Each structure stands twice: as structure tokens, then as C-alpha cells.
Amino acid sequence: MATRECQDLECADLTLIKRMIPHRYPFLMIDKVICMVRGKSAVGIKNVTVNEPYFQGHFPDEPVVPGVTIIESMAQTAAVLVNHTLDMVDQDISIYLLGVDKARFRRKVVPGDVLELHISVLRGGGKVWKLKGEGRVGDSIAAQAEITAIWELNAGTG
């Protein structure tokens, strides 16, 4: 789904994202979700800055976002989509990564890039979800993977 197609669809700012997934700084890897189509797709945004904590040790003379961090950003965007689809905002829900398949890295992601995380549902609706993710910078695909995740309500909730 191209970003320009998302203008009138549902979105999530950082405050809403924090109500949907438990991640916090320095492990919250998305800044916003600019569109979501319930049960189908989402586009998340990660604004890459030189101040990211992993740049201190990951090629400090040539900062490059680690591939696993891009995958985690995809997974967090996917978790927001699953939460939104299940209408579980403010519920004590956890969404766990079960698997990553077909991961490929096509270009470096560096400070100053805006990483768009395009997620589409391959299979969902129950406890286990399969999603396809692409990390894009402009018109270039930086990374892609298939993600399998499971959700559960935490103890003490409904």
C-alpha cells in the first residue's frame, strides 16, 4: 500500500501506540502508524536519527541500522495492526514474535532516512498471525520478511 493511499485511513500516534504495545524507549522502534486497514494492512514510520543507541556500537564510523532492528520495527508495526484489528487498545495484551521467514536486506538504512514499514496480513483472525513486511526508504526496498506472531491476554485481564 503506497503512503499516498493512506491519507484518509485510521492512524496511530506515539501515545496510541504505547496504549497498544508494551515497548518503550529505547526499544520502541516506531514513531507512528500513518494508516491502518483493519485486518489487512498498516504503514508504520521510523524516523532514523543519529542519536539511536545502537549506532554507538554498530559501525560507529558509518552508522547503519541493524537488520534485526528493521525486522523488529516491522514486528512492532504488525503488533499495532493486530491490536487494532482485535480492538484491544488499553487491554493487557502481548503479541509475541514466533518466527521470521524469507528475510532479505536490500539497502542500508542510515541516519536521516525515513523508514516506512509496510505490513500486510497473509493470515490472521485467530491467535496466530502471519504477516508480510517491507521496510522502504523512498522508492527503495531496504528489507523484507514474513513474520509469524501470536497474541494472548496477560494474567489478570478479562
Side-chain angles (χ1 to χ4, degrees):
M1 171 178 287
T3 304
R4 54 195 148 287
E5 296 171 349
C6 296
Q7 292 173 350
D8 296 322
L9 303 174
E10 296 179 76
C11 60
D13 63 9
L14 193 56
T15 301
L16 182 56
I17 290 168
K18 288 179 175 181
R19 293 171 52 201
M20 299 171 98
I21 62 175
H23 303 80
R24 298 295 181 265
Y25 179 84
F27 211 75
L28 182 55
M29 303 291 174
I30 55 176
D31 297 312
K32 60 185 170 181
V33 178
I34 58 173
C35 72
M36 292 181 282
V37 178
R38 197 177 296 267
K40 294 189 187 278
S41 63
V43 178
I45 298 290
K46 170 61 179 163
N47 296 303
V48 181
T49 70
V50 73
N51 298 320
E52 306 293 344
Y54 42 78
F55 287 145
Q56 294 176 29
H58 196 260
F59 303 121
D61 294 331
E62 182 191 357
V64 175
V65 177
V68 295
T69 302
I70 298 170
I71 298 293
E72 178 62 27
S73 299
M74 287 181 205
Q76 289 182 18
T77 304
V80 168
L81 175 60
V82 171
N83 184 297
H84 176 67
T85 299
L86 298 172
D87 198 22
M88 299 292 260
V89 175
D90 294 324
Q91 301 297 313
D92 194 8
I93 181 176
S94 291
I95 301 168
Y96 298 105
L97 189 62
L98 289 177
V100 177
D101 298 303
K102 301 181 183 174
R104 298 287 180 264
F105 302 96
R106 310 279 182 208
R107 78 178 289 283
K108 292 187 281 188
V109 178
V110 299
D113 284 344
V114 175
L115 181 62
E116 289 187 4
L117 305 146
H118 294 252
I119 304 298
S120 56
V121 174
L122 298 174
R123 186 180 69 246
K127 289 276 198 186
V128 177
W129 289 63
K130 182 96 171 180
L131 307 107
K132 178 182 176 185
E134 281 187 355
R136 301 180 190 167
V137 177
D139 292 331
S140 299
I141 295 174
Q144 52 198 152
E146 289 184 2
I147 297 166
T148 305
I150 188 168
W151 70 269
E152 66 181 38
L153 283 173
N154 294 315
T157 60

